[in-house]
Coordinates of all heavy atoms in Angstrom, one line a residue:
M1 N 56.5 263.4 79.6 CA 57.5 263.8 78.5 C 56.9 263.5 77.2 O 56.2 262.6 77.0 CB 58.8 262.9 78.7 CG 59.7 263.4 79.8 SD 61.3 262.5 79.8 CE 60.8 261.0 80.5
P2 N 57.3 264.4 76.2 CA 56.7 264.3 74.9 C 57.4 263.1 74.1 O 58.4 262.6 74.4 CB 57.0 265.6 74.2 CG 58.1 266.2 75.0 CD 58.0 265.6 76.4
T3 N 56.7 262.7 73.0 CA 57.2 261.7 72.1 C 57.7 262.3 70.8 O 57.0 263.2 70.3 CB 56.0 260.7 71.8 OG1 55.5 260.2 73.0 CG2 56.5 259.6 70.9
Y4 N 58.9 261.9 70.4 CA 59.5 262.5 69.2 C 59.8 261.4 68.2 O 60.1 260.2 68.6 CB 60.8 263.2 69.5 CG 60.6 264.3 70.5 CD1 60.9 264.2 71.8 CD2 60.2 265.6 70.0 CE1 60.7 265.3 72.7 CE2 60.0 266.6 70.9 CZ 60.3 266.5 72.2 OH 60.1 267.5 73.1
G5 N 59.6 261.7 66.9 CA 59.9 260.7 65.9 C 61.3 260.9 65.3 O 61.7 262.0 65.2
Y6 N 61.9 259.8 65.0 CA 63.3 259.8 64.4 C 63.3 258.9 63.2 O 62.6 257.9 63.1 CB 64.3 259.4 65.4 CG 64.4 260.3 66.6 CD1 63.5 260.2 67.7 CD2 65.3 261.4 66.6 CE1 63.6 261.1 68.7 CE2 65.3 262.3 67.6 CZ 64.5 262.2 68.7 OH 64.5 263.1 69.7
R7 N 64.3 259.2 62.3 CA 64.5 258.3 61.1 C 66.0 258.2 60.9 O 66.8 259.2 60.9 CB 63.9 258.9 59.8 CG 64.2 258.0 58.6 CD 63.5 258.6 57.3 NE 62.1 258.7 57.5 CZ 61.4 259.8 57.2 NH1 62.0 260.9 56.8 NH2 60.1 259.8 57.4
C8 N 66.5 256.9 60.8 CA 67.9 256.7 60.6 C 68.2 256.7 59.1 O 67.4 256.8 58.3 CB 68.2 255.3 61.2 SG 67.7 253.9 60.2
P9 N 69.5 256.8 58.8 CA 69.9 256.8 57.4 C 69.4 255.6 56.6 O 69.2 255.7 55.3 CB 71.5 256.8 57.4 CG 71.8 257.3 58.8 CD 70.7 256.9 59.7
A10 N 69.2 254.5 57.2 CA 68.6 253.3 56.5 C 67.1 253.4 56.2 O 66.6 252.6 55.5 CB 68.9 252.0 57.3
G11 N 66.5 254.5 56.8 CA 65.1 254.7 56.6 C 64.2 254.1 57.6 O 62.9 254.2 57.5
D12 N 64.7 253.6 58.7 CA 63.9 253.1 59.8 C 63.4 254.3 60.6 O 64.1 255.2 60.8 CB 64.7 252.2 60.8 CG 65.3 251.0 60.0 OD1 64.6 250.4 59.2 OD2 66.4 250.6 60.4
T13 N 62.1 254.2 61.0 CA 61.5 255.3 61.8 C 61.1 254.7 63.1 O 60.7 253.5 63.2 CB 60.3 255.9 61.1 OG1 59.3 254.9 60.9 CG2 60.6 256.6 59.8
F14 N 61.3 255.5 64.2 CA 60.9 255.0 65.5 C 60.6 256.2 66.3 O 60.9 257.4 66.0 CB 62.0 254.2 66.1 CG 63.3 254.9 66.2 CD1 63.7 255.5 67.4 CD2 64.2 254.9 65.2 CE1 64.9 256.2 67.5 CE2 65.4 255.6 65.2 CZ 65.8 256.2 66.4
D15 N 59.9 256.0 67.4 CA 59.5 257.1 68.4 C 60.3 256.9 69.7 O 60.6 255.8 70.1 CB 58.0 257.0 68.7 CG 57.1 257.4 67.4 OD1 57.6 258.0 66.5 OD2 56.0 256.9 67.4
L16 N 60.6 258.1 70.2 CA 61.3 258.1 71.5 C 60.5 259.0 72.5 O 60.2 260.1 72.0 CB 62.7 258.5 71.4 CG 63.8 257.5 71.0 CD1 65.1 258.1 71.0 CD2 63.7 256.3 71.9
V17 N 60.4 258.6 73.7 CA 59.9 259.5 74.7 C 61.1 260.0 75.5 O 61.8 259.2 76.1 CB 58.9 258.8 75.7 CG1 58.4 259.7 76.8 CG2 57.7 258.2 74.9
R18 N 61.3 261.3 75.4 CA 62.5 261.9 76.0 C 62.2 263.3 76.4 O 61.3 263.9 75.9 CB 63.7 261.7 75.1 CG 63.6 262.4 73.8 CD 64.6 262.1 72.7 NE 65.9 261.7 73.2 CZ 67.0 261.8 72.4 NH1 66.9 262.2 71.1 NH2 68.2 261.4 72.8
P19 N 63.1 263.9 77.3 CA 62.9 265.3 77.7 C 63.0 266.2 76.5 O 63.7 266.0 75.5 CB 64.0 265.5 78.7 CG 64.4 264.2 79.1 CD 64.2 263.2 78.0
M20 N 62.3 267.4 76.6 CA 62.3 268.4 75.5 C 63.7 268.9 75.3 O 64.1 269.2 74.1 CB 61.4 269.5 75.9 CG 59.9 269.2 75.9 SD 58.9 270.5 76.5 CE 58.9 271.6 75.1
A21 N 64.5 268.9 76.3 CA 65.9 269.4 76.1 C 66.7 268.5 75.2 O 67.7 269.0 74.6 CB 66.6 269.6 77.5
E22 N 66.4 267.2 75.1 CA 67.1 266.3 74.3 C 66.5 266.0 73.0 O 66.9 265.1 72.3 CB 67.3 265.0 75.1 CG 68.0 265.1 76.4 CD 68.0 263.8 77.2 OE1 67.6 262.8 76.6 OE2 68.4 263.9 78.4
A23 N 65.4 266.7 72.6 CA 64.6 266.4 71.4 C 65.5 266.6 70.2 O 65.3 265.8 69.2 CB 63.4 267.3 71.3
G24 N 66.4 267.6 70.1 CA 67.1 267.8 68.9 C 68.4 266.9 68.7 O 69.0 266.9 67.7
E25 N 68.8 266.3 69.8 CA 70.0 265.4 69.8 C 69.7 264.2 69.0 O 68.6 263.6 69.0 CB 70.4 265.1 71.2 CG 70.8 266.3 72.0 CD 71.1 266.0 73.4 OE1 71.3 264.8 73.7 OE2 71.2 266.9 74.3
P26 N 70.7 263.7 68.3 CA 70.5 262.4 67.5 C 70.2 261.3 68.5 O 70.7 261.3 69.6 CB 71.8 262.2 66.8 CG 72.6 263.5 66.9 CD 72.0 264.2 68.1
A27 N 69.5 260.3 68.0 CA 69.2 259.1 68.8 C 69.7 257.9 68.0 O 69.7 257.9 66.8 CB 67.7 259.0 69.0
R28 N 70.0 256.8 68.7 CA 70.5 255.6 68.1 C 69.3 254.8 67.6 O 68.3 254.6 68.3 CB 71.3 254.7 69.1 CG 72.6 255.3 69.5 CD 73.7 254.7 68.6 NE 74.9 255.5 68.8 CZ 75.8 255.8 67.9 NH1 75.5 255.4 66.6 NH2 76.9 256.5 68.1
C29 N 69.4 254.3 66.4 CA 68.3 253.5 65.8 C 68.3 252.2 66.5 O 69.4 251.5 66.7 CB 68.5 253.3 64.3 SG 67.4 252.2 63.6
P30 N 67.2 251.7 67.0 CA 67.1 250.4 67.7 C 67.4 249.2 66.8 O 67.7 248.2 67.3 CB 65.7 250.4 68.3 CG 64.9 251.3 67.5 CD 65.9 252.4 67.0
D31 N 67.2 249.4 65.5 CA 67.4 248.3 64.5 C 68.8 248.2 64.1 O 69.4 247.1 64.1 CB 66.5 248.5 63.3 CG 65.0 248.4 63.7 OD1 64.7 247.6 64.7 OD2 64.2 249.0 63.0
C32 N 69.4 249.3 63.6 CA 70.7 249.3 63.0 C 71.8 249.9 63.8 O 73.0 249.8 63.5 CB 70.7 249.9 61.6 SG 70.3 251.6 61.5
G33 N 71.4 250.7 64.8 CA 72.4 251.4 65.7 C 73.0 252.6 65.2 O 73.8 253.3 65.8
E34 N 72.6 253.1 64.0 CA 73.1 254.3 63.4 C 72.4 255.5 64.1 O 71.3 255.4 64.5 CB 72.8 254.3 61.9 CG 73.6 253.3 61.1 CD 75.1 253.6 61.1 OE1 75.4 254.8 60.9 OE2 75.8 252.7 61.3
P35 N 73.1 256.7 64.1 CA 72.5 257.9 64.6 C 71.3 258.3 63.7 O 71.4 258.3 62.5 CB 73.6 258.9 64.7 CG 74.7 258.3 63.9 CD 74.5 256.9 63.7
A36 N 70.2 258.6 64.3 CA 68.9 258.9 63.6 C 68.6 260.4 63.9 O 68.9 260.9 64.9 CB 67.8 258.1 64.0
R37 N 68.1 261.1 62.8 CA 67.7 262.5 63.0 C 66.2 262.6 63.3 O 65.4 261.7 62.9 CB 68.0 263.2 61.7 CG 69.5 263.3 61.4 CD 69.7 264.0 60.1 NE 69.1 265.4 60.3 CZ 69.5 266.4 59.6 NH1 70.4 266.3 58.7 NH2 68.9 267.6 59.7
R38 N 65.9 263.7 63.9 CA 64.5 263.9 64.3 C 63.6 264.2 63.0 O 64.1 264.9 62.1 CB 64.3 265.0 65.3 CG 63.0 265.2 65.8 CD 62.9 266.3 66.8 NE 61.5 266.6 67.1 CZ 61.1 267.7 67.7 NH1 62.0 268.6 68.1 NH2 59.8 267.9 67.9
V39 N 62.4 263.7 63.0 CA 61.5 264.0 61.9 C 60.2 264.5 62.5 O 59.9 264.2 63.7 CB 61.1 262.8 61.0 CG1 62.4 262.3 60.2 CG2 60.6 261.6 61.8
F40 N 59.5 265.4 61.8 CA 58.3 266.0 62.3 C 57.1 265.4 61.7 O 57.1 265.3 60.4 CB 58.4 267.5 62.1 CG 59.5 268.2 62.8 CD1 60.8 268.3 62.2 CD2 59.4 268.6 64.1 CE1 61.8 268.9 62.9 CE2 60.4 269.2 64.8 CZ 61.6 269.3 64.2
G41 N 56.2 265.1 62.5 CA 54.9 264.5 61.9 C 53.7 265.2 62.5 O 53.8 266.2 63.1
G42 N 52.6 264.6 62.3 CA 51.3 265.2 62.8 C 51.2 265.0 64.3 O 52.0 264.3 64.9
P43 N 50.3 265.7 64.9 CA 50.1 265.6 66.3 C 49.6 264.2 66.7 O 49.0 263.5 65.8 CB 49.1 266.7 66.6 CG 48.4 267.0 65.3 CD 49.4 266.7 64.2
A44 N 49.8 263.9 67.9 CA 49.3 262.6 68.4 C 47.8 262.6 68.5 O 47.2 263.0 69.5 CB 50.0 262.2 69.7
L45 N 47.1 262.1 67.5 CA 45.7 262.1 67.4 C 45.1 261.0 68.2 O 43.9 260.9 68.3 CB 45.2 262.1 66.0 CG 45.6 263.3 65.2 CD1 45.1 263.2 63.8 CD2 45.1 264.6 65.8
R46 N 45.9 260.0 68.6 CA 45.4 258.9 69.4 C 44.7 259.3 70.7 O 43.9 258.6 71.2 CB 46.5 257.9 69.7 CG 47.0 257.1 68.5 CD 48.1 256.3 68.9 NE 49.2 257.1 69.3 CZ 50.5 256.9 69.0 NH1 50.8 255.9 68.2 NH2 51.4 257.8 69.4
S47 N 45.2 260.4 71.3 CA 44.6 260.8 72.5 C 43.3 261.6 72.4 O 42.7 261.9 73.4 CB 45.6 261.7 73.3 OG 45.9 262.9 72.5
L48 N 42.8 261.8 71.2 CA 41.6 262.5 71.0 C 40.4 261.6 71.4 O 40.5 260.4 71.4 CB 41.4 262.8 69.5 CG 42.1 264.1 69.0 CD1 41.8 264.3 67.6 CD2 41.6 265.3 69.8
D49 N 39.3 262.3 71.8 CA 38.0 261.6 72.0 C 37.6 260.9 70.7 O 37.7 261.4 69.7 CB 37.0 262.6 72.4 CG 35.7 262.0 72.7 OD1 35.5 260.8 72.6 OD2 34.8 262.8 73.1
P50 N 37.2 259.6 70.8 CA 36.9 258.9 69.6 C 35.8 259.6 68.8 O 35.9 259.5 67.5 CB 36.3 257.5 70.1 CG 37.0 257.4 71.5 CD 37.2 258.8 72.0
A51 N 34.8 260.2 69.4 CA 33.8 260.9 68.6 C 34.4 262.1 67.8 O 34.1 262.3 66.7 CB 32.7 261.4 69.6
V52 N 35.4 262.8 68.4 CA 36.0 263.9 67.8 C 36.9 263.4 66.6 O 36.9 263.9 65.5 CB 36.9 264.7 68.8 CG1 37.7 265.8 68.0 CG2 36.0 265.3 69.8
R53 N 37.5 262.2 66.9 CA 38.4 261.7 65.8 C 37.5 261.2 64.6 O 37.9 261.4 63.5 CB 39.2 260.5 66.3 CG 40.1 259.9 65.3 CD 41.2 259.0 65.8 NE 41.1 258.7 67.2 CZ 40.8 257.5 67.7 NH1 40.4 256.6 66.9 NH2 40.8 257.4 69.0
R54 N 36.3 260.6 64.9 CA 35.4 260.2 63.8 C 35.0 261.4 63.0 O 34.9 261.3 61.8 CB 34.2 259.4 64.4 CG 34.5 258.0 64.6 CD 33.2 257.2 64.9 NE 32.4 257.7 66.0 CZ 32.6 257.3 67.3 NH1 33.5 256.4 67.5 NH2 31.9 257.9 68.2
A55 N 34.7 262.5 63.7 CA 34.2 263.7 63.0 C 35.3 264.3 62.2 O 35.1 264.7 61.0 CB 33.7 264.7 64.0
L56 N 36.5 264.3 62.7 CA 37.7 264.8 61.9 C 37.9 263.9 60.7 O 38.2 264.4 59.6 CB 38.9 264.9 62.7 CG 38.9 266.0 63.8 CD1 40.2 265.8 64.7 CD2 38.9 267.3 63.2
D57 N 37.9 262.6 60.9 CA 38.1 261.7 59.7 C 37.0 261.9 58.7 O 37.3 261.9 57.5 CB 38.1 260.2 60.2 CG 39.3 259.9 61.0 OD1 40.3 260.7 61.0 OD2 39.3 258.9 61.7
A58 N 35.7 262.0 59.1 CA 34.6 262.2 58.2 C 34.8 263.5 57.4 O 34.5 263.5 56.2 CB 33.3 262.2 58.9
G59 N 35.3 264.5 58.1 CA 35.5 265.8 57.4 C 36.6 265.7 56.4 O 36.5 266.2 55.3
A60 N 37.6 265.0 56.7 CA 38.7 264.8 55.8 C 38.3 264.0 54.6 O 38.7 264.3 53.4 CB 39.9 264.2 56.5
R61 N 37.5 262.9 54.8 CA 37.0 262.1 53.7 C 36.1 262.9 52.8 O 36.2 262.7 51.6 CB 36.3 260.9 54.3 CG 37.1 259.7 54.6 CD 36.3 258.4 54.7 NE 35.2 258.6 55.6 CZ 35.2 258.5 56.9 NH1 36.3 258.1 57.5 NH2 34.1 258.7 57.7
S62 N 35.3 263.7 53.4 CA 34.3 264.4 52.5 C 34.9 265.4 51.7 O 34.4 265.9 50.7 CB 33.2 265.0 53.4 OG 33.7 266.1 54.1
A63 N 36.2 265.9 52.0 CA 36.9 266.8 51.1 C 37.2 266.2 49.8 O 37.2 266.9 48.8 CB 38.1 267.3 51.8
D64 N 37.5 265.0 49.7 CA 37.9 264.3 48.5 C 36.7 263.6 47.8 O 36.6 263.6 46.6 CB 39.0 263.3 48.7 CG 40.3 264.0 49.1 OD1 40.5 265.2 48.7 OD2 41.1 263.4 49.9
S65 N 36.0 262.9 48.6 CA 34.9 262.0 48.1 C 33.6 262.2 49.0 O 33.5 261.5 50.0 CB 35.3 260.6 48.1 OG 35.7 260.2 49.3
P66 N 32.8 263.2 48.7 CA 31.6 263.4 49.5 C 30.7 262.2 49.5 O 30.6 261.5 48.5 CB 31.0 264.7 49.0 CG 31.6 264.9 47.6 CD 32.9 264.1 47.6
D67 N 29.9 262.0 50.5 CA 28.9 261.0 50.5 C 27.9 261.2 49.5 O 27.5 262.3 49.2 CB 28.2 260.9 51.9 CG 29.1 260.4 53.0 OD1 30.2 259.8 52.7 OD2 28.8 260.7 54.2
V68 N 27.5 260.1 48.8 CA 26.5 260.1 47.8 C 25.2 259.7 48.4 O 25.1 258.7 49.0 CB 26.8 259.2 46.6 CG1 25.7 259.2 45.6 CG2 28.2 259.6 46.0
V69 N 24.2 260.6 48.3 CA 22.9 260.3 48.8 C 21.9 260.0 47.7 O 22.0 260.5 46.6 CB 22.3 261.4 49.7 CG1 23.2 261.6 50.9 CG2 22.2 262.7 48.9
T70 N 21.0 259.1 48.0 CA 20.0 258.7 46.9 C 18.6 259.2 47.2 O 17.7 259.1 46.4 CB 20.0 257.1 46.8 OG1 19.7 256.6 48.1 CG2 21.3 256.6 46.3
S71 N 18.5 259.8 48.4 CA 17.2 260.4 48.7 C 17.4 261.6 49.6 O 18.4 261.8 50.2 CB 16.3 259.3 49.5 OG 16.9 259.0 50.7
L72 N 16.3 262.4 49.7 CA 16.4 263.6 50.5 C 16.3 263.2 52.0 O 15.6 262.2 52.3 CB 15.3 264.5 50.2 CG 15.3 265.2 48.8 CD1 14.0 266.0 48.6 CD2 16.5 266.1 48.7
P73 N 17.0 263.9 52.9 CA 16.9 263.6 54.3 C 15.5 263.9 54.8 O 14.7 264.7 54.3 CB 17.9 264.5 55.0 CG 18.2 265.6 54.0 CD 17.9 265.0 52.6
G74 N 15.0 263.1 55.8 CA 13.7 263.3 56.4 C 13.6 264.6 57.1 O 14.5 265.3 57.3
R75 N 12.4 264.9 57.5 CA 12.1 266.1 58.3 C 12.9 266.0 59.6 O 12.6 265.1 60.4 CB 10.7 266.3 58.5 CG 9.9 266.7 57.3 CD 8.4 267.0 57.7 NE 8.4 268.1 58.6 CZ 7.9 269.3 58.3 NH1 7.5 269.5 57.1 NH2 7.8 270.3 59.2
S76 N 13.7 266.9 59.9 CA 14.5 266.9 61.2 C 13.8 267.7 62.2 O 14.1 267.6 63.4 CB 15.9 267.3 60.9 OG 15.9 268.6 60.5
R77 N 12.9 268.7 61.8 CA 12.4 269.6 62.7 C 11.0 269.1 63.1 O 10.1 268.8 62.3 CB 12.2 271.0 62.0 CG 11.8 272.0 63.0 CD 12.1 273.4 62.3 NE 11.6 274.4 63.3 CZ 10.5 275.1 63.2 NH1 9.7 274.9 62.1 NH2 10.2 276.0 64.1
R78 N 10.8 269.0 64.5 CA 9.5 268.6 65.0 C 8.5 269.7 64.9 O 8.9 270.9 64.9 CB 9.7 268.2 66.4 CG 10.4 266.9 66.6 CD 10.4 266.4 68.0 NE 11.0 267.4 68.9 CZ 10.9 267.5 70.2 NH1 10.1 266.6 70.8 NH2 11.5 268.4 70.9
A79 N 7.3 269.4 64.8 CA 6.2 270.4 64.7 C 6.2 271.2 66.0 O 6.4 270.6 67.1 CB 4.9 269.7 64.4
T80 N 5.9 272.5 65.9 CA 5.8 273.3 67.1 C 4.6 272.8 68.0 O 3.5 272.8 67.4 CB 5.6 274.8 66.7 OG1 6.7 275.1 65.8 CG2 5.6 275.7 67.9
P81 N 4.8 272.5 69.2 CA 3.7 272.1 70.1 C 2.7 273.2 70.3 O 3.1 274.4 70.5 CB 4.4 271.6 71.3 CG 5.7 272.3 71.4 CD 6.1 272.5 70.0
V82 N 1.5 272.9 70.3 CA 0.4 273.9 70.5 C -0.1 273.7 72.0 O -0.4 272.7 72.4 CB -0.7 273.8 69.5 CG1 -1.9 274.8 69.8 CG2 -0.3 273.9 68.1
T83 N 0.0 274.8 72.7 CA -0.4 274.7 74.1 C -1.9 274.9 74.3 O -2.6 275.7 73.5 CB 0.3 275.8 75.0 OG1 -0.1 275.7 76.3 CG2 0.1 277.2 74.5
K84 N -2.5 274.3 75.3 CA -3.9 274.5 75.6 C -4.1 275.3 76.9 O -5.3 275.5 77.3 CB -4.5 273.1 75.8 CG -4.4 272.1 74.6 CD -5.5 272.3 73.6 CE -5.4 271.2 72.6 NZ -4.9 271.6 71.3
D85 N -3.0 275.7 77.5 CA -3.1 276.5 78.8 C -3.6 277.9 78.5 O -3.0 278.6 77.7 CB -1.8 276.5 79.4 CG -1.8 277.0 80.9 OD1 -2.7 277.8 81.2 OD2 -1.0 276.6 81.7
P86 N -4.8 278.4 79.1 CA -5.3 279.7 78.8 C -4.3 280.8 79.2 O -4.4 281.9 78.7 CB -6.6 279.7 79.6 CG -6.5 278.6 80.6 CD -5.6 277.6 80.0
R87 N -3.5 280.6 80.2 CA -2.6 281.6 80.7 C -1.6 282.0 79.6 O -1.1 283.1 79.5 CB -1.8 281.2 81.9 CG -2.7 281.0 83.1 CD -2.0 280.4 84.3 NE -1.5 279.1 83.9 CZ -0.7 278.3 84.6 NH1 -0.3 278.7 85.8 NH2 -0.3 277.1 84.2
H88 N -1.3 281.0 78.7 CA -0.3 281.3 77.6 C -0.8 282.3 76.6 O -0.1 283.0 75.9 CB 0.1 280.0 76.9 CG 0.9 279.1 77.8 ND1 1.1 277.8 77.5 CD2 1.5 279.3 79.0 CE1 1.8 277.2 78.5 NE2 2.1 278.1 79.4
A89 N -2.2 282.4 76.5 CA -2.8 283.4 75.6 C -2.5 284.8 76.0 O -2.5 285.7 75.2 CB -4.3 283.1 75.4
R90 N -2.3 285.0 77.3 CA -2.0 286.4 77.8 C -0.5 286.8 77.7 O -0.2 287.9 78.0 CB -2.5 286.5 79.3 CG -4.0 286.3 79.4 CD -4.5 286.7 80.8 NE -3.8 286.2 81.9 CZ -4.2 285.1 82.6 NH1 -5.3 284.5 82.3 NH2 -3.5 284.6 83.6
L91 N 0.3 285.9 77.3 CA 1.7 286.2 77.2 C 2.0 287.2 76.1 O 1.2 287.1 75.1 CB 2.6 284.9 77.0 CG 2.7 284.0 78.2 CD1 3.3 282.7 77.7 CD2 3.4 284.6 79.3
P92 N 2.9 288.1 76.2 CA 3.2 289.0 75.1 C 3.7 288.3 73.8 O 4.3 287.3 73.9 CB 4.3 289.9 75.7 CG 4.9 289.1 76.8 CD 3.9 288.2 77.3
R93 N 3.2 288.8 72.7 CA 3.6 288.2 71.4 C 4.6 289.1 70.7 O 4.6 290.3 70.9 CB 2.3 288.1 70.5 CG 1.2 287.3 71.1 CD 1.5 285.8 71.0 NE 0.5 285.1 71.7 CZ 0.8 284.0 72.4 NH1 2.0 283.5 72.4 NH2 -0.1 283.3 73.0
P94 N 5.4 288.5 69.9 CA 6.5 289.3 69.2 C 5.8 290.1 68.1 O 4.8 289.9 67.6 CB 7.4 288.2 68.6 CG 6.6 287.0 68.6 CD 5.6 287.1 69.7
Ligands
LIG101 ZN1 68.1 252.1 61.4

């Protein structure tokens, strides 16, 4: 069953796991007992793979404050290996 967020008139927020058919119905606040209305929030990102969550967080952070670098990145590309096999010389060339 999905989790829905609710907010009571006093401003308390809480989550309830309930059937989709009951999502729009008011829920009782566990703190004050007043009927609470459903509020809509972001998706449940807790279930994401931690690596995906780190990448999303880094992307969101870089939108406002990009990382400051003090030096150029090193060479990331390895040198092309040169073969010594004579059969490779007969292969077609582009
Ligand atoms: Zn309340």
Side-chain angles (χ1 to χ4, degrees):
M1 281 189 281
T3 303
Y4 300 99
Y6 295 87
R7 179 179 298 129
C8 75
D12 301 321
T13 57
F14 58 96
D15 293 337
L16 277 184
V17 177
R18 58 191 335 197
M20 292 174 72
E22 300 174 11
E25 299 176 11
R28 290 267 170 218
C29 174
D31 294 332
C32 64
E34 292 292 316
R37 295 182 56 156
R38 185 176 170 200
V39 293
F40 296 89
L45 298 178
R46 286 177 298 225
S47 60
L48 278 179
D49 182 358
V52 174
R53 183 165 4 109
R54 276 195 301 274
L56 289 173
D57 290 346
R61 270 195 313 270
S62 70
D64 295 331
S65 55
D67 288 340
V68 176
V69 294
T70 55
S71 63
L72 293 174
R75 289 184 61 108
S76 61
R77 187 164 181 257
R78 289 186 299 163
T80 305
V82 178
T83 179
K84 303 273 192 257
D85 192 328
R87 294 174 298 175
H88 291 166
R90 296 196 307 265
L91 288 173
R93 301 286 172 214

